[in-house]
Amino acid sequence: MRTRSRGRRLIGLALLALVASAILSACGTSPALTDPQGPVARAESNIWWIIFTICVVIFVGVTAVLLYSVFRFRARPNSPPPRQLHGNTRLEIAWTIAPTILLFLILGLTISTMFGPLVQPADPNTITVTALGHQWWFEFQYPNEHIVTADELHVPTGTVIHVDLYSDNVIHGFWVPQLAGKVDIIPGHNNSLWFKADTAGTYRGECTEFCGAQHAHMDFIVKAESPAAYAAWVASQQQGPAAPGAGTAAERGMGVFQHNGCTACHVIGTPPSGAPLIGPNLTHFGSRSLIAGGVLDNNTTNLPLWIHDAQAIKPDVDMPSFNGSSPGYTALTPSQLSDLVAYLESLK
Ligand code: CUA
């Protein structure tokens, strides 16, 4: 008797946790498929709602019939043996045909979405970007604007954005639930997608294919801005790197950057043509809001922690720790570190 009431309490708690997680997951800042902010995501969200509704109706219907049968036809004391049946042809035909019709309905809706709203419309203002999946961060290149950035993709609202997906390492995935998704980034197979942001805002994106130890720490954001704000961003990103003032911490930091191995992976200024860089292009590093593959805010608290011990924050990342623990890289002194941070943050 005791065990049974404890079991029932456990089941009650599990149900409560399930309901609570379903309700609470709608709060917070997680991107939601059900909150689309552009035509592509809206088409995908509509399909999702239709399938979800069909599934809920079936689940509730089947569960209701099941529960009714369990209680209505349960064994009672002295009840006679039940009538023996050997199938019901009409019923079996019905429950074969009904799911088939439903599945073909879902297939039809999916195909019509794939060849309708998911086909990129012709738009003379289309902006083309390349999203490169690294281990583990996103690089964004604007080939026509000659801009290279990382961790955040800037786009103007109301404009078709064409994204070429490229990887030279492993398979990654590109997904911005509120704008578009989700398409794999496959080495040697150039996928692409398009999206359009209706409203200005910051939309979180994620890598959605397991790509190694830090797959879960491979995020990015899409910053959708008014066309005027986007044009201003493009103009500022097209400038060369800001030169540090004479005698400033930033100027000393530039020396630290040049003499401690940073330039083996990072570029400040024009990227060399040829093979993609190992680390993010830092020409306008100070203008970005995220670092470390989108997992840390870019500020003077996180940046020194990241440079000091990147391997502790993101084990196995290409970025060495500059605390003496990474072979081949010497530890930076506290003043070198703060000068370097001053320099990097000055690169607006
Ligand atoms: Cu890249 Cu997961």
Side-chain angles (χ1 to χ4, degrees):
M1 209 56 195
R2 258 235 28 225
T3 352
R4 196 194 283 175
S5 77
R6 192 183 298 161
R8 222 178 279 164
R9 209 179 304 151
L10 273 178
I11 291 172
L13 276 176
L15 281 175
L16 193 68
L18 198 70
V19 171
S21 63
I23 293 171
L24 293 177
S25 62
C27 308
T29 53
S30 284
L33 177 81
T34 48
D35 179 26
Q37 298 294 327
V40 174
R42 200 166 298 116
E44 292 167 340
S45 179
N46 288 344
I47 286 276
W48 187 89
W49 275 114
I50 291 169
I51 297 174
F52 179 73
T53 309
I54 291 173
C55 292
V56 166
V57 169
I58 293 173
F59 176 76
V60 170
V62 169
T63 309
V65 171
L66 180 71
L67 288 177
Y68 172 80
S69 309
V70 164
F71 287 103
R72 172 72 181 74
F73 301 107
R74 71 184 186 278
R76 294 184 178 84
N78 305 322
S79 54
R83 192 155 59 91
Q84 297 303 301
L85 293 171
H86 299 282
N88 181 322
T89 310
R90 230 188 278 168
L91 206 56
E92 282 170 23
I93 288 174
W95 68 42
T96 304
I97 288 178
T100 306
I101 291 174
L102 271 179
L103 287 176
F104 270 99
L105 178 74
I106 290 171
L107 178 70
L109 284 169
T110 307
I111 289 175
S112 71
T113 305
M114 284 167 69
F115 291 98
L118 297 194
V119 174
Q120 182 177 326
D123 177 354
N125 298 320
T126 298
I127 289 172
T128 300
V129 296
T130 304
L132 284 96
H134 292 266
Q135 279 176 301
W136 296 272
W137 56 282
F138 280 96
E139 178 172 335
F140 298 110
Q141 300 179 345
Y142 296 67
N144 301 322
E145 290 79 7
H146 306 289
I147 294 171
V148 181
T149 187
D151 300 343
E152 58 184 57
L153 177 63
H154 286 247
V155 299
T157 52
T159 308
V160 171
I161 312 296
H162 174 90
V163 188
D164 286 311
L165 303 166
Y166 177 81
S167 166
D168 65 357
N169 44 85
V170 297
I171 300 177
H172 301 274
F174 183 100
W175 191 27
V176 190
Q178 288 172 279
L179 297 177
K182 95 194 19 167
V183 179
D184 280 358
I185 309 177
I186 302 170
H189 178 90
N190 294 340
N191 280 339
S192 67
L193 60 86
W194 79 279
F195 69 86
K196 191 195 269 188
D198 289 341
T199 38
T202 300
Y203 306 106
R204 198 173 130 196
E206 291 174 0
C207 175
T208 47
E209 285 291 351
F210 180 71
C211 54
Q214 296 298 326
H215 153 69
H217 292 155
M218 187 168 167
D219 297 345
F220 63 101
I221 50 172
V222 176
K223 283 194 169 177
E225 320 167 289
S226 68
Y230 172 75
W233 177 81
V234 168
S236 73
Q237 296 287 311
Q238 287 172 334
Q239 304 294 312
T248 59
E251 190 189 45
R252 294 193 299 275
M254 186 163 82
V256 175
F257 181 84
Q258 286 163 348
H259 299 119
N260 286 278
C262 308
T263 52
C265 300
H266 297 283
V267 159
I268 293 175
T270 318
S273 51
L277 295 169
I278 294 169
N281 182 306
L282 302 179
T283 308
H284 295 282
F285 176 83
S287 71
R288 299 179 200 153
S289 50
L290 297 174
I291 58 171
V295 297
L296 292 175
D297 286 335
N298 183 8
N299 56 44
T300 50
T301 308
N302 289 335
L303 182 56
L305 293 175
W306 173 248
I307 298 170
H308 181 73
D309 204 355
Q311 291 297 320
I313 296 170
K314 246 173 126 163
D316 290 348
V317 72
D318 286 329
M319 172 87 173
S321 294
F322 285 86
N323 58 5
S325 66
S326 293
Y329 295 90
T330 48
L332 297 179
T333 65
S335 65
Q336 281 180 314
L337 190 55
S338 70
D339 289 345
L340 180 56
V341 168
Y343 173 55
L344 293 174
E345 296 295 1
S346 76
L347 300 169
K348 294 294 182 189

